[in-house]
Amino acid sequence: MSGLFKAISRQRSTVDMAGVGREAITTQFTKGRLDTSGAYKHLSPVEENLLADFWEKLLADFDKPLSEVPSDSIARPIECDDEAEIIKAKEIEESAPFEVFEGCMFNQSVEDKCRELGIASEREDGVLVPKYEKQIKDGTLGSAVWSVVREDHPDVLMLRFLRARKWDVEKAYRMAVAAVKWRVQENVEEIIWYGDLHNDASLMWKGVSYAHGKDKLGQPIIWSGSCLHHQKDQSYPQLKRYMIWMMETLRQLLTPPIERVCLIMDLTDHSNANMDWPFVKTFLKFLEAYYPECLGICIVYNGPWWFSGVWKLISPLLDPVVASKVQFAQKPEGLLKFIDEKQLLQSRGGKNAYKFSYVKPDPEENKLMFDAEGRAAASRKLEDLQSQFIQATVDWTDAKEAGDDDKFAEAASRRMELSDQVAAAAQEKDKYTRARHFYTRTGVLVDGVVDWSKLQSPS
């Protein structure tokens, strides 16, 4: 065994599997420096070796049917018959329709609202996006994994599960496979395909949750105003769809080393009428099991006096790692510890004049999605690069097993180059498989580059 791998073997027993060595989130803000330990391109030799072990397990199952690969159980945060709820919502829409917000009716989708407003493409049927075409090539684990990776660097995704399971490769692997199975069950690819067009119109028009600006560590800020949310305003399946769409969209705003978001749970004007336990339970389960390591910090802002009692009910539901990221602020001064005043909204004590206003779809914004030949060409290019990445990964794991330092380093370098190429090719294919959305319409997100100045208006 070579010197490097002997050293790794000795360190395995002492490596900080629990992540205790990582700086507390408040310390990172105090220093103004993001802790990148355990993140993509910032791995210790021990962590890189554990990542290789993870990939070795994954590749051993890559061509197996997804259903045959062992995993953690797929937890349902609440018991809900989605089909029955969808039928019920449709019946309410047809027999007892009611307005939810600024002309948006109960159970009305953005697509339906656009049709009502006369927003239609030049095509004969006026549709804004073509009918969904399944992008998962077959029923194997490998095909499903690539559908999850999408425009991410492959290692970024795998490292999320490793960190979430404190670098226990077996536990991380079973967790990752469960997340892949959940995505297939929920048909996340179809949600991405249709984008906000199939979301509940009132949720989009209200701006119940939206991203704007960045915190002092460079993490995108997600503003979530609870006073805008009422459980009766939408069905549970629509709310769940909205949450999945939001999380998938936010993934596009994350570029290494920025891999997490800053969530502001704004409780200004919050009342009991805004409490929605199915929403809370679902959101927490998504964060813990299916989108791990995506939360950098959660700031609970301006909670009413009685919220401490609610927090006692919520906190036991939180994963300890998630709970450690929760901070409380009652006044703007509390927010300014984490957000520069030029990034903080004026309405919350900062100098940024931005106010959310939903930007409706452009009739021709999804024209590339109607280009089947272009999509097929983009798919072929991406699949070729994915195959090259897999071969480089095999070479990498083989070198690890052989204890060959030079070949391991050479294969690691080749993987890194291919990872960039895979991400770029996936981003190109994305134009053919994802409907445009608020952040692309406003110019905040263009070809993977995020520019909040397109929306910010500091006073």
Side-chain angles (χ1 to χ4, degrees):
M1 185 182 288
S2 69
L4 170 62
F5 290 100
K6 284 181 179 178
I8 288 174
S9 181
R10 286 195 300 271
Q11 290 179 48
R12 271 184 180 277
S13 61
T14 58
V15 67
D16 179 15
M17 296 296 185
V20 176
R22 295 176 65 187
E23 290 183 322
I25 188 65
T26 51
T27 304
Q28 294 179 55
F29 278 96
T30 300
K31 293 183 176 180
R33 183 182 65 208
L34 181 71
D35 183 1
T36 57
S37 59
Y40 180 61
K41 293 187 178 181
H42 295 275
L43 302 181
S44 69
V46 179
E47 291 164 344
E48 185 176 14
N49 195 55
L50 292 170
L51 176 62
D53 289 346
F54 183 100
W55 272 102
E56 198 167 10
K57 286 185 68 66
L58 177 60
L59 294 179
D61 292 334
F62 218 62
D63 296 325
K64 294 180 181 178
L66 176 60
S67 59
E68 295 179 9
V69 182
S71 70
D72 290 347
S73 59
I74 300 176
R76 294 176 64 87
I78 69 167
E79 289 302 319
C80 177
D81 184 337
D82 283 7
E83 290 301 319
E85 288 296 312
I86 290 171
I87 293 172
K88 180 181 176 181
K90 190 66 176 176
E91 290 174 348
I92 294 174
E93 175 190 348
E94 294 176 350
S95 62
F98 63 92
E99 181 180 351
V100 175
F101 183 79
E102 294 186 356
C104 296
M105 306 299 290
F106 175 80
N107 207 43
Q108 185 178 37
S109 70
V110 171
E111 188 173 42
D112 291 339
K113 185 64 179 176
C114 287
R115 191 177 298 114
E116 177 186 299
L117 296 172
I119 301 174
S121 69
E122 295 179 354
R123 290 164 188 80
E124 185 175 345
D125 52 8
V127 296
L128 301 177
V129 65
K131 185 177 180 180
Y132 170 65
E133 292 184 11
K134 188 174 181 179
Q135 297 301 301
I136 302 177
K137 188 167 60 174
D138 53 41
T140 63
L141 171 64
S143 291
V145 164
W146 282 123
S147 77
V148 180
V149 172
R150 292 192 67 94
E151 305 94 85
D152 264 345
H153 291 272
D155 284 350
V156 169
L157 182 68
M158 308 314 165
L159 287 167
R160 292 190 186 282
F161 293 101
L162 279 166
R163 293 195 302 266
R165 288 296 176 260
K166 301 175 176 61
W167 299 93
D168 184 311
V169 173
E170 180 62 33
K171 290 181 179 179
Y173 182 64
R174 292 179 66 89
M175 180 190 189
V177 175
V180 172
K181 290 179 178 179
W182 170 81
R183 287 177 64 96
V184 172
Q185 285 187 10
E186 293 290 345
N187 211 353
V188 173
E189 284 294 292
E190 182 178 12
I191 293 174
I192 292 172
W193 177 282
Y194 287 113
D196 59 10
L197 287 170
H198 280 200
N199 284 351
D200 184 272
S202 69
L203 287 171
M204 300 306 302
W205 255 254
K206 282 191 284 188
V208 172
S209 296
Y210 63 91
H212 185 70
K214 57 187 179 182
D215 66 17
K216 290 182 178 180
L217 298 181
Q219 301 173 139
I221 302 170
I222 316 304
W223 291 92
S224 184
S226 65
C227 70
L228 295 173
H229 177 73
H230 296 85
Q231 186 175 353
K232 65 178 179 59
D233 285 350
Q234 62 282 308
S235 66
Y236 175 75
Q238 263 293 9
L239 184 63
K240 182 172 64 171
R241 178 190 183 89
Y242 173 77
M243 280 192 280
I244 294 173
W245 172 81
M246 188 70 180
M247 288 182 166
E248 289 297 319
T249 302
L250 293 177
R251 285 179 63 189
Q252 294 186 287
L253 304 180
L254 301 175
T255 303
I258 306 301
E259 297 182 8
R260 301 178 181 88
V261 302
C262 169
L263 173 63
I264 309 293
M265 298 294 293
D266 189 348
L267 301 185
T268 302
D269 298 327
H270 179 92
S271 71
N272 283 329
N274 303 121
M275 285 304 300
D276 183 348
W277 283 112
F279 163 78
V280 171
K281 291 179 179 179
T282 301
F283 177 65
L284 294 179
K285 176 54 64 177
F286 284 4
L287 273 183
E288 175 193 343
Y290 308 131
Y291 296 92
E293 288 288 299
C294 286
L295 180 66
I297 186 171
C298 174
I299 305 171
V300 180
Y301 178 67
N302 199 18
W305 64 267
W306 47 264
F307 185 75
S308 59
V310 175
W311 175 245
K312 289 180 180 178
L313 295 175
I314 295 175
S315 54
L317 303 175
L318 294 175
D319 177 89
V321 175
V322 174
S324 71
K325 298 176 180 179
V326 178
Q327 302 290 315
F328 294 87
Q330 284 299 117
K331 298 180 179 180
E333 291 77 11
L335 293 176
L336 288 168
K337 293 179 182 178
F338 307 101
I339 305 169
D340 287 330
E341 62 179 0
K342 288 185 178 181
Q343 296 286 334
L344 185 61
L345 302 180
Q346 279 185 358
S347 61
R348 296 299 175 260
K351 292 188 175 182
N352 193 296
Y354 175 74
K355 294 181 180 179
F356 178 83
S357 179
Y358 180 64
V359 177
K360 295 181 284 294
D362 180 278
E364 302 302 323
E365 67 184 9
N366 296 314
K367 60 182 179 182
L368 283 180
M369 294 186 70
F370 292 88
D371 181 0
E373 291 183 5
R375 179 163 53 251
S379 295
R380 287 192 297 270
K381 180 179 180 180
L382 176 58
E383 289 169 10
D384 177 63
L385 287 166
Q386 288 170 340
S387 295
Q388 292 182 53
F389 177 85
I390 291 299
Q391 183 56 57
T393 302
V394 170
D395 295 341
W396 182 57
T397 57
D398 285 350
K400 177 188 71 70
E401 290 301 312
D404 189 322
D405 293 359
D406 292 337
K407 286 187 177 179
F408 185 77
E410 182 182 340
S413 178
R414 175 64 175 152
R415 284 183 81 250
M416 203 70 75
E417 292 175 4
L418 284 166
S419 180
D420 290 337
Q421 294 175 38
V422 167
Q427 193 176 104
E428 183 63 25
K429 182 183 176 181
D430 183 77
K431 299 173 183 178
Y432 299 90
T433 60
R434 184 197 301 259
R436 303 301 91 185
H437 50 69
F438 178 82
Y439 303 100
T440 52
R441 289 174 201 138
T442 55
V444 167
L445 179 66
V446 178
D447 294 331
V449 177
V450 178
D451 181 3
W452 292 110
S453 70
K454 300 295 184 180
L455 281 178
Q456 288 179 337
S457 304
S459 60

